[in-house]
Amino acid sequence: MTFERSPAVQSSGDEEKRPTLLLVDDEENILSALKRLLRRDGYRILTAGSGQQGLAILDSDKVDVIISDQRMPHMTGIEFLRQAKERCPDSIRMVLSGYTDLETVTSAINQGDIYRFLTKPWEDDDLRANIEEAFLRKAIIDENVRLHRDVTQTNAELAIANARLEQLLREKQQRIRIDETTLQVSQEVFQHLPWPVLGIDENGLISVANQAAFEFFGSSPLVGSFIKEVLPAPWEAAATSCEDGDMLVQHGAQTCLLLWRNMGASSLSQGRLLVISPCKSCAATRISGEAGTVLCNVPSTPSP
């Protein structure tokens, strides 16, 4: 039987990154024989002559696979591996012994203290195959730990991101509520203004009108009508032919100040806003007595 190592285990890399194997046996000749057998497999091999020495190594070094003799002075292999499990729970632990205590070994396997029980004398290829399998198992455990750590970190980052999004959503909803309230208040203020106000889009269509505008123009349809269909021709010509401006106009027996302002200076609105302000007294000269007549365009102070 020819034993070949997998490419994953054959690569050695830096000394500290190589798979680490700890051999524990009170017989020096056994440790030497195992080191000779396993040296070509690319492991970093540590040895200890007793369970106490093995625990001391585990306190200062990272070990992937542990192989221990069972019958040793002062501490059995099973007892050593139980303590090794506490110090290095992710290690793969095996017993290599010439003595078979089935009850003790079965109990240790069932409790997870050891992964496998191997016997002396060993068959070289079988021992190497078992050790390679142990390292592959350790690699799977390490990968699972890494994946769990990555998932945990990702979940934590997602939780932080979700908390930030929820905060932004709350702020957005609060902003929307404020904007809705502001819009409702603005609409109510707009409707309660004592002066007629018309909003005209870029095509000359009346899009908004307040209550004063409906009362000012009587039964004339406003919203949805073109401004030229509502305003007297002289007013419409003046209000739509130039930039921001104002002029005195005559509406029946009443003199008014007609103001027009282009929208969009501080918003995305387009079109024009018209405001008609009745004047109780205006310093102007009437050009003609007909309704809708344009008066002299002179400075004046509107009186609500």
Side-chain angles (χ1 to χ4, degrees), residues 5-12 19 41-43 131-133 135-136 139:
R5 297 192 48 74
S6 66
V9 181
Q10 282 178 335
S11 59
S12 58
D41 293 334
Y43 305 127
I131 294 174
E132 178 183 27
E133 183 179 336
F135 275 105
L136 292 175

Side-chain angles (χ1 to χ4, degrees), residues 190-191 196-199 206-214 217 221-223:
F190 175 72
Q191 290 298 328
V197 180
L198 299 176
I206 299 175
S207 56
V208 294
N210 67 351
Q211 184 60 37
F214 284 100
F217 290 103
L222 294 179
V223 177

Side-chain angles (χ1 to χ4, degrees), residues 191-203:
Q191 290 298 328
H192 285 294
L193 286 174
W195 311 288
V197 180
L198 299 176
I200 303 155
D201 68 14
E202 62 271 23
N203 298 315

Side-chain angles (χ1 to χ4, degrees), residues 48-115:
S50 66
Q52 290 86 345
Q53 292 180 11
L55 294 176
I57 290 175
L58 293 177
D59 287 337
S60 60
D61 213 322
K62 184 179 183 301
V63 174
D64 299 302
V65 175
I66 305 170
I67 300 178
S68 175
D69 185 25
Q70 167 61 6
R71 291 195 176 183
M72 298 184 294
H74 309 298
M75 183 182 296
T76 66
I78 297 298
E79 178 57 31
F80 160 68
L81 292 175
R82 283 200 180 102
Q83 296 188 42
K85 178 183 176 182
E86 297 176 359
R87 287 170 165 79
C88 192
D90 291 335
S91 63
I92 304 299
R93 298 166 297 278
M94 297 190 292
V95 170
L96 178 62
S97 177
Y99 302 93
T100 304
D101 183 350
L102 290 180
E103 182 179 354
T104 302
V105 171
T106 301
S107 175
I109 292 175
N110 291 338
Q111 295 175 21
D113 297 322
I114 65 173
Y115 167 62

